[in-house]
Structures are given as C-alpha cells and as structure tokens.
C-alpha cells in the first residue's frame, strides 16, 4: 500500500484597513479666520499590516474650500490631517 500525503495551505484573504470617521467639524460664520489651520484626527487599523506600513490619503469633494498643508502624519494608529481654510462653504473629506 502506498501512502500519499497532500499538503494544502489556505491563505486568509487580505482585509482592507479600517479608518475611523473623524468628528464632523462645523464652523460658525467668522469663528475661524480664512487661512487658519484646522486639525482633523482619525485612527487607522489593519489586521495584516503594522501602522507604519499604512499610508493614508485625503481628497476633498470641493478642493477650493481647504488645502492640505502636509502629508497626513500618524503616530501608531492615530493620524492627523492639517488643512488650511480657504473659503467659507461646505466640503467633504474622503480619507483612504
């Protein structure tokens, strides 16, 4: 009798990183002068990768309203996006 061994490896699927929803920022008229900096804080987590391997990006549905001042900075899982307010209107930030 011949014995045949079969080895099967299963690799779990790569799950995408999770990004917490930053708190909504509502600025009353004239409470933040144009050109001032606004900080947006959020957290990122990934089951497969360490935080230093995650590279978050931000995009704005109305880029004339705010300007990103620098790349998003992260310490461990907490990240911060600094933007400069250019005009008083509404914009949505998408973080990926």
């Amino acid at each position: 009798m011949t014995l045949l061994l079969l080895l099967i490896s299963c690799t779990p699927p790569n799950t995408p990183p999770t990004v917490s929803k930053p708190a909504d920022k509502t600025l009353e008229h004239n409470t933040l002068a144009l050109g001032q900096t606004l900080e947006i804080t959020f957290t990122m987590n990934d089951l497969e990768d360490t935080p230093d391997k995650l590279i978050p990006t931000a995009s704005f549905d109305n880029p004339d309203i705010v300007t990103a001042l620098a790349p998003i900075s992260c310490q461990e899982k907490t990240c911060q996006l600094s933007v400069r307010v250019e005009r008083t209107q509404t914009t949505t930030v998408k973080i990926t």
Side-chain angles (χ1 to χ4, degrees):
M1 175 150 97
T2 303
L3 180 63
L4 179 63
L5 294 176
L6 177 62
L7 177 62
I8 299 175
S9 296
C10 294
T11 304
N14 184 11
T15 56
T18 57
V19 179
S20 68
K21 180 184 181 299
D24 290 336
K25 301 282 184 177
T26 302
L27 305 173
E28 297 300 323
H29 185 65
N30 293 331
T31 59
L32 185 66
L34 298 182
Q36 282 192 307
T37 302
L38 179 64
E39 306 297 333
I40 301 170
T41 302
F42 59 95
T43 58
M44 290 189 73
N45 192 22
D46 189 75
L47 295 176
E48 291 84 25
D49 288 316
T50 57
D52 62 316
K53 301 224 189 257
L54 301 176
I55 303 171
T57 59
S59 60
F60 308 95
D61 69 344
N62 190 346
D64 295 333
I65 304 301
V66 293
T67 302
L69 297 178
I72 298 171
S73 64
C74 297
Q75 292 291 327
E76 291 296 317
K77 296 178 181 181
T78 302
C79 301
Q80 189 160 350
L81 167 64
S82 298
V83 296
R84 183 177 56 234
V85 178
E86 304 291 354
R87 293 184 10 208
T88 55
Q89 286 181 328
T90 299
T91 189
T92 300
V93 180
K94 180 179 179 182
I95 299 171
T96 54

